[in-house]
């Protein structure tokens, strides 16, 4: 019997999570049963939403159980199949978790999906052509729905989601303005991703300064905002928002460790007749095919660019995840296993 | 030449407004010119939005100019017409302002509308079958859009808008829960307007207490909320909100004097996948005919109930308006001039 190395969550964080919340565990790998598929995971996806699941506070998803494999998206290759829908060598995307192998009953619909890597790299199915890409697509097209000439702002703009938001906005003729941390990320957002402007929030620790930067980057005001951060960024954007502006609320990473992040002036929702809508992309599966079609085409033709931060080996996953929460990654954070 | 008594705004409030911000003025009443109509105003409408216009802070509407007649809705009777569309004796609704007579160029579309008082009292065109009614209708049907069995909460529930919101929600099979100030208003909301429950916010000055009251009144959680007040009420509602709940943001009277009214936990928008939308009913004129048709039918058949607080005579308008801002009115606040 082979060995499967896994990362378990062994305790819940109080405040900021640490590597001690995780443990590397060696588990036996059972034989493949009828209907099952054994997948060698090539890449793990690390995503901000996982921070929420580490806590057991009431939220939209059940918490990650303790002493079990951390949940998460994966891409990999089928090594053994006793399911007629899959064969060894198939490239697949699934929710394999933080482990080297996953053994799944592949007859459950959606548990494992074959992907075509002719024009799209395998890892992209965890990023631009996966959950982060569809998240960007949903918030931009279903909530913000920008018209040509409108201005769309996105926080965490160099990330897997934010980068796609701006490029999708540009593809629709909108002005795209990013907010990111540090000159390197901002340069990348403008020069490589093609945003019209990017604000380095580390240069603007005070609301007044951030407001001035937004005014300069968005001379016509803000019509749409894709929120990944919350806190002062959200307050500042609301103060520069135009009438009938829309905010897609995707994440509020500034409050993930339990810090209070009040919205300073909710009366602006009324004054500016704004719409603010929270969403979770997994609740809109019916739109994934349409989203993936556009995203896949854009990646295959080089019109949707992205960058990856790749940690090496399963043991590096916890540290890489904590770095992601602090914005140390640059683009999509992955862990490479093979 | 006759005399027209008017109330002017003569100064802007710093903090709470006072009667000294207003002045009673006697102005000459010019002769009626070709195309004009002279209307004797029978009732003035007093509405919370007027507080916003007293300030010159940036908002969705221009501020009320100083040393001019306070703007506002009116109903009255044509006393002289040199416009073929109107004749003496016509009952009309318009924006006549805080004055005894209005002289208007009635050829401008929408400035003056004839109304039928066969089944609907004239004053109702300032309330349930007027701007407040349409406000309730818009927020309820276009933003909250409750399904039968869902729970809808409305603050300022005994007021002209709030009372209609609950009754329109009940007509759609929803559970209606009001929030109002004092036992008399709460009793009226339940016993006369037919809400399922009403919470007296004066009995719940602490968030914890208000949360417990909401839990009791809304055992299935909250699916829709119509916000007229803001502040702690909004925070508490968000904490009891169900997944995919909708908030129609109509007013935030708790912040009208410039008090900060932060939203405590905006992350709930994401956790509960909420939609929050601000609106101003005058920007949706295309829906008024549909709204007024339903509201008029409900009033004429006794299915939409309301109460009026009537101040007597033009000079009483400022004091009545200040009382409205403090919730001293009971139902629609009017000033009777004739």
């Amino acid at each position: 019997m082979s060995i499967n190395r896994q990362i378990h969550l062994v305790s819940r964080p109080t405040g900021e999570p640490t590597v001690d919340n995780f443990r590397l565990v060696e588990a036996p790998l059972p034989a493949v049963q009828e209907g099952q598929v054994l997948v060698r995971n090539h890449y793990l996806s690390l995503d901000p939403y996982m921070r929420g699941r580490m806590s057991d506070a009431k939220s939209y998803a059940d918490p990650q159980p303790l002493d079990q494999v951390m949940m998460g998206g994966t891409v990999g290759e089928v090594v053994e199949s006793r399911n007629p829908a899959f064969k060894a060598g198939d490239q697949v995307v699934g929710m394999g978790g933080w482990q080297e192998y996953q053994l799944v009953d592949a007859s459950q619909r959606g548990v494992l999906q074959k992907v075509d890597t002719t024009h799209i790299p395998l890892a992209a199915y965890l990023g631009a052509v996966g959950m982060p890409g569809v998240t960007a697509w949903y918030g931009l097209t279903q909530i913000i729905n920008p018209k040509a000439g409108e201005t769309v702002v996105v926080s965490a703009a160099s990330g897997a989601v934010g980068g796609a938001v701006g490029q999708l906005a540009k593809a629709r003729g909108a002005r795209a303005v990013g907010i990111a941390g540090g000159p390197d990320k901002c340069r990348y957002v403008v020069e490589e991703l093609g945003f019209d402007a990017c604000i380095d929030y580390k240069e603007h620790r005070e609301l007044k300064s951030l407001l001035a930067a937004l005014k300069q980057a968005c001379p016509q005001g803000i019509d749409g905002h894709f929120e990944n951060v919350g806190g002062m960024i959200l307050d500042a954007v609301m103060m520069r928002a135009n009438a009938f502006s829309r905010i897609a609320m995707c994440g509020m990473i500034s409050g993930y460790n339990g810090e209070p992040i009040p919205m300073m002036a909710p009366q602006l929702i009324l004054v500016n007749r704004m719409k603010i809508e929270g969403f979770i992309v997994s609740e809109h599966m019916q739109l994934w095919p349409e989203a993936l079609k556009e995203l896949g085409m854009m990646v295959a033709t080089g019109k949707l660019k992205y960058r990856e931060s790749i940690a090496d080996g399963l043991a590096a996953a916890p540290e890489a995840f904590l770095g992601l929460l602090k914005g140390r990654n640059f683009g999509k954070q992955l862990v490479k296993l093979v």
Side-chain angles (χ1 to χ4, degrees), chain A:
Chain A
M1 186 177 285
S2 312
I3 289 298
N4 184 20
R5 299 200 313 153
Q6 306 176 320
I7 305 276
H8 289 197
L9 183 72
V10 294
S11 60
R12 302 201 184 279
T14 50
E16 223 172 90
T18 72
V19 290
D20 296 333
N21 296 129
F22 302 96
R23 185 179 300 149
L24 181 65
V25 172
E26 297 202 341
L29 196 55
V32 179
Q33 304 294 315
E34 189 57 36
Q36 287 187 327
V37 173
L38 180 67
V39 180
R40 178 85 165 96
N41 291 331
H42 285 210
Y43 290 95
L44 317 182
S45 177
L46 300 182
D47 300 280
Y49 77 84
M50 295 167 171
R51 173 63 186 88
R53 299 221 174 158
M54 292 176 74
S55 302
D56 54 7
K58 173 180 177 280
S59 189
Y60 46 81
D62 288 334
Q64 160 74 40
L66 288 180
D67 299 316
Q68 292 191 26
V69 181
M70 273 292 288
M71 294 179 281
T74 48
V75 288
E77 189 176 305
V78 173
V79 290
E80 187 183 342
S81 174
R82 293 186 63 188
N83 185 300
F86 294 89
K87 62 178 195 300
D90 282 349
Q91 312 272 294
V92 289
V93 57
M95 288 297 287
W98 296 16
Q99 56 185 344
E100 294 176 330
Y101 292 91
Q102 60 167 318
L103 183 62
V104 288
D105 177 357
S107 57
Q108 288 176 264
R109 193 163 166 271
V111 150
L112 214 56
Q113 306 243 356
K114 272 193 271 195
V115 294
D116 180 350
T117 55
T118 317
H119 300 289
I120 297 170
L122 181 60
Y125 289 100
L126 295 177
V129 194
M131 186 273 287
V134 180
T135 299
W137 186 93
Y138 184 90
L140 187 83
T141 67
Q142 304 300 301
I143 297 175
I144 296 175
N145 191 20
K147 287 194 276 287
E150 287 193 327
T151 297
V152 174
V153 172
V154 54
S155 52
S158 70
V161 175
V165 169
Q167 293 175 85
L168 289 166
K170 289 294 291 180
R172 284 157 176 77
R175 176 177 177 85
V177 174
I179 300 175
D184 289 350
K185 287 183 179 174
C186 282
R187 198 175 312 114
Y188 161 75
V189 164
V190 172
E191 293 178 6
E192 292 192 45
L193 301 186
F195 283 48
D196 296 283
C198 188
I199 295 168
D200 179 359
Y201 69 82
K202 294 183 177 176
E203 296 285 322
H204 305 284
R205 298 290 190 183
E206 302 294 324
L207 180 63
K208 201 177 157 186
S209 165
L210 184 57
L211 282 172
L214 276 172
K215 190 170 189 178
Q216 194 179 4
C218 310
Q220 310 294 321
I222 298 167
D223 303 292
H225 176 58
F226 192 105
E227 185 57 275
N228 289 308
V229 176
M232 192 178 81
I233 289 179
L234 179 58
D235 285 333
V237 165
M238 287 177 68
M239 289 175 196
R240 289 277 174 252
N242 290 332
F244 309 110
S245 48
R246 295 81 64 193
I247 295 184
M249 197 76 100
C250 174
M252 301 195 84
I253 202 167
S254 66
Y256 276 13
N257 293 328
E259 308 89 332
I261 45 165
M263 177 191 288
M264 249 174 73
Q267 60 271 39
L268 291 170
I269 301 171
L270 178 55
V271 170
N272 296 328
R273 290 85 90 206
M274 301 177 73
K275 185 177 78 170
I276 304 184
E277 193 166 340
F279 73 101
I280 292 165
V281 72
S282 55
E283 291 176 333
H284 304 280
M285 295 309 296
Q286 79 287 0
L287 290 171
W288 281 53
E290 183 185 350
L292 288 172
K293 190 176 167 191
E294 179 174 358
L295 295 161
M297 185 61 76
M298 284 178 78
V299 166
T301 56
K303 283 179 187 137
L304 178 54
K305 293 175 183 137
Y306 57 90
R307 189 178 281 204
E308 291 162 346
S309 283
I310 301 180
D312 195 29
L314 185 69
E319 195 69 66
F321 177 63
L322 301 180
L324 169 72
L325 295 180
K326 290 184 179 300
R328 294 207 187 109
N329 60 311
F330 198 144
K332 173 67 196 171
Q333 181 66 57
L334 298 168
V335 180
K336 190 173 191 303
L337 302 182
V338 175

